[in-house]
Amino acid sequence: MQEEITKPRETLLDAEEMALNMGPQHPSTHGVLRVLLKLDGETVIDLDCDIGFLHRGVEKIAEQDTYAMITPYWDRLDYVAAVSGDLCYVEGVEKLLQVEVPRRAEYLRVILTELQRIASHLLWLGTHAIDIGAVTVLLYCFREREEILKIFEDFIGARLTAHAFRIGGLWWDVYPEFETRVRDFLKIIPDRITEYETLLNTNRIWLSRTVGIGVLPAEEAINLSLTGPVLRGSGVNYDVRKAQPYSAYADFDFEVPLGENGDTYDRYLIRMEEMRQSVRIIEQALDGLPEGPVMAKVPKVIKPPVGEIYHSIEAPKGELGVYLVSDGTGKPYRMRIRPPAYINLQSLKRMAIGHLVADVVAIIGTIDIVLGEVDR
Amino acid sequence: MADDNKELPADKPIAENESDKKEEAKPDATLAERTEAKPEGETAKPAPPKAAPTGHKPAPPAKKGPVVTVEITDDPLINKIKEKFGDAVTEAVATFGQQIVRVKKNSYLDLCRFLQTDEDALFDLCADLTAIHWPERKEEEFDVVVQLYSTQKNRRLRIKVALADGDACPSLTALWSGTDWMEREAYDMFGIKFEGHKDLRRILLPEDWPGHPLRKEYPVEYRDNEWTDKHLQYREIDYDTSLIDVKYAERR
């Protein structure tokens, strides 16, 4: 007994490394993400992501389909932000075809994608909060998200995989009450965002679970190819809407919120502020909504000239890009999707090492992944 | 793919007419583009509908379509790259206003390092890395395509490097750690090996998956019963592998 106590601590306590398998059916992984954790006690010392459970081979399918047939697949990549996916693809093809989209269509596209951004951020906030233990927020978030989904449903016919855009514009013009309904929603949402913040901003548990968790310095975030709120949380001012405006974004006045510390709390604040900025954009777009057609003249059989294009937009999760190579036929020779969630997920390893197991859940939440887009 | 152009022959003249109209109605195509493109358009034959890409751009313009690819002549950074790398830069063009630099494999890593550190370039964010399979091109069946972005200069540049089938491509993970998963995906989907990548495994497909799906020879209709037997102990249908190349409708 005496002998044992005088032994150095390491040999007294058996400090074994443990492997822990998290997912693919874990609720906090937001889908089918499997994370293999190597633990020392409760501290993560290494991890490996196992993805691909939802791989459908969209890039291969696209090579067999005509340009118009591919669009619905983009709804199903990031299925909580279907409209943003559509926008990226149709604008890429429009650039290839050199089609000028009518102004009214561009404004409506901006309105719909910004509504989608709010819906996506609301879903993110609800699930992120429930992962950390703040269960109430989810119900409130879904209440407001429901309003957006109803607006979508009445316009597009679908709630989730809202296939709103066609190559060249929109398939239909919006219904007469569309504007009033969006304005009604804009009236309530800023107060509701404040309401969520009341629940969380100074909540002690929320703060201790987010402040200082998953810190990423700016240089590292850039080097890791991160985009979207995860990059801006580290204070890098890169928003595709501002840096290289597409659609009608050059017409609108809005701010790009930036973080300072690059931790989970900053990324939370940024997404909250982004929702407010989206409200501003939608208001301006509704005020200046031009009259006119919503569909450009597009040939029935879409055959872009030989060439290639990379087009990217600021999706709720980051820079969503499409790289299209056309060989002059009716089907793309190659379509590459630049998925923000897939590339941002790489940073999980960098952010989680040194933190506790419970923080891995918070960090997965803060990256804001959708496995439909990660696995494609 | 082969009978793309035969579908809806009645629509074809309409499509052409429309694109003609479109070209006329677009005065904002830059003057320089037009003047520069004109001699090319006269000498080059109209491209056959499914031409084997030659790999040496500017490619012949599509039938009656607008000319989209022009040589870059007056860009300070591109000139600097040309000066520094000389013959290694085989092509510097702009397609739809997007700049593309094609480089030989030996200088690929040096060029990327130069682009990341040089004060005129400062491409600090590697937005995307992918590959394209061109089976008809001899000895350069693959293109690795890198999309770079500079957060400080707010500009994009696309780097391309051609590889023969089985060639290893230098890895960019030492420069941009974000290329880790992108290169793993390119390996997974095309079978391109990246030299210097520390953890080159399949990422989206299972470890022992046969073949690389985004290669052009990989069939779309394909079921690997051996794999499902082994891992899932489940066989949906008995499948004759000799039918792999037969179209779905015909097989029915």
Side-chain angles (χ1 to χ4, degrees), chain B residues 223 225 235 237-246 251:
Chain B
R223 189 186 303 273
N225 276 336
R235 179 174 285 210
I237 48 163
D238 270 317
Y239 193 77
D240 183 357
T241 41
S242 65
L243 293 177
I244 278 172
D245 286 331
V246 181
R251 200 172 65 230

Side-chain angles (χ1 to χ4, degrees), chain A residues 19-92:
Chain A
L20 181 74
N21 180 40
M22 185 172 149
Q25 302 297 343
H26 193 284
S28 77
T29 56
H30 298 206
V32 276
L33 165 69
R34 177 167 169 243
V35 187
L36 287 152
L37 299 160
K38 198 167 154 193
L39 304 175
D40 179 7
E42 260 204 87
T43 314
V44 179
I45 49 175
D46 199 6
L47 71 80
D48 188 25
C49 292
D50 188 2
I51 57 172
F53 293 92
L54 216 56
H55 182 63
R56 292 149 289 170
V58 175
E59 291 178 15
K60 183 77 175 177
I61 295 169
E63 289 170 14
Q64 328 298 324
D65 286 355
T66 62
Y67 283 90
M69 280 158 75
I70 297 162
T71 336
Y73 286 104
W74 284 77
D75 311 340
R76 286 149 179 85
L77 292 176
D78 180 355
Y79 40 75
V80 302
V83 174
S84 309
D86 277 353
L87 183 71
C88 176
Y89 174 71
V90 296
E91 287 207 328

